[in-house]
Amino acid sequence: SQTIHQWPATLVQPVGSPLSLECTVEGTSNPNLYWYRQAAGRGLQLLFYSVGIGQISSEVPQNLSASRPQDRQFILSSKKLLLSDSGFYLCAWSDQEDSPLHFGNGTRLTVT
Amino acid sequence: QKEVEQDPGPLSVPEGAIVSLNCTYSNSAFQYFMWYRQYSRKGPELLMYTYSSGNKEDGRFTAQVDKSSKYISLFIRDSQPSDSATYLCAMSHAGRRALTFGSGTRLQVQP
């Protein structure tokens, strides 16, 4: 069966520091991979998606970037964090374009 | 106007009640509909996945889609305290790479 791992679970970082969140999927090949952000009381905002190694599409221009160095690995990064980057970051995968998404347990990021 | 509207709640019901959760949407191209359950500080968990109009049942859960009214529902029978969570609707259509989510309804089932 497929599993998705996301770490760390919580992170507190000062403004201006770099960020690296990692997500890996097991039990499937060539998944579509996604990064979402969820603000308190709001829906999920799509940040990036990837349909293959090295292929990244950005939905919202911002302080963050994503990379997919391996088929089942997806990384969310920032060179310098802003206070507004605080939030709950979720990684997800799907088999194909119209398939439902399966989420990891998220990383709660607090920028101080 | 948001593409998907969902009442944020909270919705509080006694244990054993039938719960009705709803979303409305504006994009008539949507054809894939999902319901997710999210516990506090966890990622959303897929509950139901339906294509086009009609009903789908899975245990205590029934998903209903009315495309003519642009309205989807999730019914929970014999609700349990363990059903207390935020419920998110999501939808998509062919050629769209990502889901559009509602903002979630918080449900509290009182023992």
Side-chain angles (χ1 to χ4, degrees):
Chain A
S1 64
Q2 301 89 355
T3 55
I4 179 168
H5 303 281
Q6 197 178 336
W7 67 93
T10 59
L11 190 59
V12 180
Q13 292 283 100
V15 168
S17 64
L19 173 73
S20 181
L21 302 181
E22 191 164 340
C23 170
T24 59
V25 181
E26 295 177 357
T28 186
S29 296
N30 196 31
N32 293 335
L33 296 173
Y34 306 82
W35 280 111
Y36 279 84
R37 178 168 58 199
Q38 185 176 34
R42 299 177 64 182
L44 279 73
Q45 178 189 31
L46 178 65
L47 301 176
F48 301 95
Y49 67 86
S50 172
V51 299
I53 295 174
Q55 301 178 62
I56 309 294
S57 295
S58 173
E59 288 290 302
V60 182
Q62 56 202 319
N63 186 40
L64 302 170
S65 62
S67 62
R68 185 170 177 174
Q70 300 181 42
D71 181 44
R72 290 170 290 173
Q73 183 185 27
F74 206 22
I75 298 171
L76 182 70
S77 303
S78 173
K79 292 182 179 178
K80 287 186 178 182
L81 284 169
L82 307 173
L83 285 174
S84 58
D85 292 325
S86 293
F88 192 44
Y89 289 84
L90 290 157
C91 180
W93 71 271
S94 69
D95 277 331
Q96 54 194 15
E97 194 168 88
D98 302 315
S99 298
L101 301 186
H102 303 276
F103 287 88
N105 272 327
T107 294
R108 187 161 302 280
L109 172 66
T110 303
V111 182
T112 60
Chain B
Q1 182 189 6
K2 292 181 182 177
E3 276 193 300
V4 180
E5 298 278 1
Q6 188 174 7
D7 189 328
L11 176 63
S12 184
V13 301
E15 183 175 354
I18 296 175
V19 176
S20 173
L21 303 166
N22 311 293
C23 286
T24 59
Y25 61 94
S26 57
N27 188 343
S28 58
F30 286 141
Q31 55 190 145
Y32 305 95
F33 303 92
M34 284 135 276
W35 285 96
Y36 287 84
R37 176 175 64 195
Q38 186 176 22
Y39 292 113
S40 181
R41 298 183 175 276
K42 296 292 186 182
E45 170 194 3
L46 179 67
L47 281 178
M48 301 289 281
Y49 175 62
T50 55
Y51 170 71
S52 195
S53 286
N55 292 359
K56 183 176 181 179
E57 188 174 321
D58 184 359
R60 296 185 296 112
F61 299 92
T62 299
Q64 195 172 80
V65 175
D66 183 348
K67 290 192 70 180
S68 62
S69 302
K70 298 191 184 72
Y71 189 87
I72 67 170
S73 300
L74 177 70
F75 298 96
I76 306 174
R77 292 182 298 280
D78 187 25
S79 56
Q80 303 295 309
S82 58
D83 295 327
S84 298
T86 297
Y87 290 79
L88 299 156
C89 64
M91 47 199 79
S92 183
H93 59 73
R96 188 159 185 163
R97 293 205 178 273
L99 304 182
T100 301
F101 284 85
S103 56
T105 298
R106 188 169 152 226
L107 171 67
Q108 296 172 335
V109 181
Q110 307 295 338

